[in-house]
Amino acid sequence: MLSCVKLTQSLISIFRAVSRPGVLAAAGTRLKHTLPDLPYDYGALEPTISAEIMQLHHSKHHATYVNNLNVAEEKLAEAQAKGDVTTEIALGPALKFNGGGHLNHSIFWTNLSPNGGGEPQGEVLAAINRDFGSFENLKKKMSASSVAVQGSGWGWLGYDKENNRLSIAACPNQDPLQATTGLIPLLGIDVWEHAYYLQYRNVRPDYVNAIWNVVNWENINERFLAASK
């Protein structure tokens, strides 16, 4: 297991590598994280995901993670400047939760598309067939894993670079996949209730089954090609 300090350092490194570029507040100051624009309109994923859910999910929930992450990083910078290791460690949970929320959602939006659905293409399809036997087997296993998350969390398809294999994982809360498991995230399914409750109520399996209709396999194939280099 990573120590709190090492996990914090790992998270910050991943934030800078994966998140979209922020905006400099002033010369010499650190970059702040910003809420990424969606690559489609709020209503573009209907009827799978309603415009109301998308607007609240993106403009309220994701925005809150971004704002709280910036606050936590400011406090971390102050603690590091003072050599205050106790405060650095105490900030670990806030960095993990809000940083994970920012990372997870930034991936999630691009994993979806109004032109999505169907079957994967290209190199990622070959890897799916190799590691799961078929696309239908992948869907079945990943859906079951996502539905089974207790409370709030995420279901993931990730790439195990060390063993050159695809792997399914589930993460609680907003735990970021790569920083906590080493798997490189390819496809995430958000199973927090705010992602589906207004439309699917408490029937999580219906939401998980429906989301495959808007999965952006072009994006996932691009992520797989980048991860497997």
Side-chain angles (χ1 to χ4, degrees), residues 146-166:
S146 300
V147 169
V149 170
Q150 293 185 342
S152 301
W154 292 74
W156 287 102
L157 174 65
Y159 177 66
D160 180 346
K161 197 173 185 69
E162 182 177 352
N163 296 302
N164 187 31
R165 293 186 62 82
L166 299 178

Side-chain angles (χ1 to χ4, degrees), residues 1-113:
M1 295 290 290
L2 289 174
S3 69
C4 289
V5 174
K6 287 185 177 179
L7 178 58
T8 297
Q9 293 171 338
S10 175
L11 284 168
I12 291 174
S13 176
I14 294 173
F15 298 155
R16 295 310 180 199
V18 178
S19 298
R20 293 189 180 188
V23 178
L24 278 173
T29 61
R30 71 175 185 83
L31 287 168
K32 285 194 173 184
H33 302 283
T34 58
L35 181 68
D37 294 331
L38 292 184
Y40 38 75
D41 294 334
Y42 285 133
L45 301 181
E46 290 186 336
T48 301
I49 305 177
S50 71
E52 182 182 16
I53 287 177
M54 290 298 296
Q55 183 171 13
L56 288 170
H57 199 172
H58 176 257
S59 68
K60 300 299 182 182
H61 291 280
H62 189 173
T64 298
Y65 297 127
V66 172
N67 293 337
N68 289 341
L69 174 59
N70 283 323
V71 170
E73 284 197 345
E74 288 172 2
K75 292 179 180 179
L76 178 64
E78 293 172 1
Q80 289 174 329
K82 297 175 183 177
D84 184 354
V85 178
T86 298
T87 298
E88 290 182 47
I89 294 171
L91 286 167
L95 287 163
K96 181 181 181 182
F97 182 76
N98 294 294
H102 179 35
L103 282 174
N104 294 340
H105 285 88
S106 296
I107 295 168
F108 183 61
W109 308 133
T110 64
N111 278 170
L112 306 177
S113 169

Side-chain angles (χ1 to χ4, degrees), residues 1 14 48 57 72 100 142 176 192 202 211 220:
M1 295 290 290
I14 294 173
T48 301
H57 199 172
M142 186 170 175
W192 279 67
N202 64 335
I211 204 168
I220 295 155

Side-chain angles (χ1 to χ4, degrees), residues 111 124 126-134 137-143 145-146 154-171 177-178 180-189 212 217 220 224 227-228:
N111 278 170
V124 74
I128 288 170
N129 289 334
R130 178 194 68 201
D131 297 333
F132 297 100
S134 70
N137 282 341
L138 165 68
K139 282 179 62 177
K140 182 178 179 180
K141 291 180 179 180
M142 186 170 175
S143 293
S145 178
S146 300
W154 292 74
W156 287 102
L157 174 65
Y159 177 66
D160 180 346
K161 197 173 185 69
E162 182 177 352
N163 296 302
N164 187 31
R165 293 186 62 82
L166 299 178
S167 182
I168 291 170
C171 292
L177 183 70
Q178 188 169 359
T180 57
T181 70
L183 296 174
I184 300 172
L186 304 179
L187 167 62
I189 299 179
W212 294 100
W217 288 110
I220 295 155
F224 173 70
S228 57

